[in-house]
Amino acid sequence: MQDWLDTWVTAGKADVITCEHSVNEIFVRPAWRHCVKKTVVDIHSSLYGTCQNQLQTGTAEKPWRDRLSLPLLKRYERRYTAKFTDLVVTTPEDQQQFQGQPGQQTLHVIPNGVDLTAFPYRSMDPGGHRLVFVGAMDYIANIDTAKFLAQDILPALRQRYQDAEVLLVGARPTDEVKALGALPGVTVTGAVPSVVEYLHRATVCVVPMRIGYGIKNKTLEAMAAGVPVVASERGLEGLAVDSPQRALRANTATDYVTAISRLFDDEVLRQELAKQARSMIEADYTWEQVGRHYEQVLSS
């Protein structure tokens, strides 16, 4: 890969270099910043910020390792971002992580998007008391979320609604996620042919994430599909959902039970949240719109 890129850039064939995620920054040589028009990195989210967040919330897999790694990650991000002319992040919160980096980079906030063809607005509200959470079930943030939802939120909710259930939808569930399927009302699906079908069957989509920076595709996709959302600050990061109201916020198990109960009991509220959220997605979060913003960064 490096030989191919070196040959390409040396031959003068590159006007702009765009790097997807910091994991690929290793292929971008510092000198290229001075021999092409622009070098752009689409960061997704801060490694330092994510590690710090996991330590603060007690969710780090290996806390001693991460405490030792934290200052190294800070230094690493300062070093690699200096190779680029432009930095792209998905939310204002992540933008703050990269303020004041060395060099003359321009910081841009460009969110992720949704394919509205793949996530059509559902034709009817199914009612009932079914929750859904979607995500790759081998990712630490989703594993923590699945456990919090199944072990802390759902049991309290089932005291009010005995038939309440949650679908944990996503590929590669770890053993600890699979074990959640033994709990009353919990179904672990593994990989499914169509995520949107599970979204359409749910009364409410819950995104009770406690860790993980960046905008959440799972939240955008549920909103596009017409499913009312209850989510944490992390699950709603970067989204304006309060005026008009497009989702309900919650951060503790008690908050979630209260918010979910409101939606279980109020079909009109479910429909209003779903309608407002879909309008926001159509206006600001399609891949076509996101692509135009990214193209402006590359061409300006």
Side-chain angles (χ1 to χ4, degrees):
M1 176 69 81
Q2 191 69 67
D3 288 344
W4 185 90
L5 286 168
D6 288 343
T7 301
W8 183 267
V9 176
T10 302
K13 295 182 178 180
D15 296 314
V16 174
I17 294 170
T18 176
C19 173
E20 189 68 15
H21 204 287
S22 58
V23 72
N24 292 309
E25 62 78 21
I26 192 171
F27 295 114
V28 179
R29 298 195 183 278
W32 293 353
R33 178 171 175 169
H34 307 291
C35 61
V36 300
K37 180 181 177 182
K38 277 194 173 186
T39 51
V40 182
V41 57
D42 186 1
I43 294 172
H44 293 206
S45 60
S46 166
L47 298 174
Y48 170 81
T50 297
C51 183
Q52 185 180 50
N53 180 222
Q54 291 172 3
L55 285 169
Q56 289 172 341
T57 56
T59 55
E61 289 182 298
K62 298 181 179 179
W64 283 106
R65 177 202 64 185
D66 290 350
R67 289 189 188 98
L68 290 171
S69 298
L70 198 60
L72 301 178
L73 286 172
K74 184 73 168 180
R75 187 171 69 181
Y76 163 69
E77 288 193 333
R78 290 176 65 86
R79 186 178 73 244
Y80 92 72
T81 54
K83 298 191 296 184
F84 295 90
T85 61
D86 294 75
L87 313 179
V88 176
V89 294
T90 61
T91 69
E93 287 86 348
D94 244 352
Q95 184 182 32
Q96 294 175 7
Q97 297 283 345
F98 291 93
Q99 296 284 8
Q101 297 288 74
Q104 300 296 318
Q105 305 97 330
T106 303
L107 259 171
H108 309 269
V109 178
I110 302 178
N112 290 343
V114 183
D115 181 346
L116 297 184
T117 302
F119 291 89
Y121 196 80
R122 67 185 179 187
S123 59
M124 61 171 289
D125 181 335
H129 303 125
R130 178 179 290 151
L131 306 176
V132 66
F133 172 70
V134 177
M137 294 298 171
D138 59 351
Y139 172 47
I140 181 174
N142 291 337
I143 295 170
D144 176 73
T145 303
K147 291 166 64 177
F148 179 46
L149 177 52
Q151 296 172 343
D152 297 305
I153 298 172
L154 185 63
L157 192 64
R158 283 173 65 88
Q159 292 179 12
R160 299 190 187 184
Y161 308 91
Q162 293 183 355
D163 64 338
E165 59 178 319
V166 61
L167 305 176
L168 301 177
V169 179
R172 303 178 301 278
T174 62
D175 289 342
E176 55 186 332
V177 173
K178 290 177 183 177
L180 298 174
L183 298 175
V186 179
T187 299
V188 179
T189 68
V192 297
S194 173
V195 168
V196 72
E197 290 181 11
Y198 283 84
L199 288 172
H200 284 174
R201 289 164 49 191
T203 320
V204 178
C205 177
V206 191
V207 191
M209 301 188 74
R210 298 186 285 190
I211 55 177
Y213 278 90
I215 205 162
K216 307 301 183 294
N217 282 9
K218 56 176 65 67
T219 306
L220 299 179
E221 290 165 356
M223 289 178 166
V227 187
V229 171
V230 178
S232 64
E233 298 302 321
R234 294 271 66 81
L236 294 171
E237 183 180 336
L239 302 177
V241 299
D242 298 314
S243 183
Q245 194 169 45
R246 300 176 172 114
L248 298 184
R249 295 182 183 272
N251 288 290
T252 68
T254 301
D255 291 343
Y256 281 105
V257 171
T258 300
I260 294 166
S261 297
R262 283 184 63 195
L263 289 173
F264 278 173
D265 295 341
D266 191 339
E267 182 180 356
V268 173
L269 178 60
R270 293 199 302 270
Q271 292 178 351
E272 182 62 19
L273 290 183
K275 181 180 71 174
Q276 292 290 351
R278 171 72 182 202
S279 296
M280 179 183 72
I281 298 298
E282 291 176 346
D284 299 316
Y285 295 95
T286 66
W287 282 121
E288 290 78 11
Q289 292 161 321
V290 170
R292 285 195 292 270
H293 292 319
Y294 203 85
E295 186 175 11
Q296 289 172 359
V297 171
L298 300 181
S299 61
S300 62

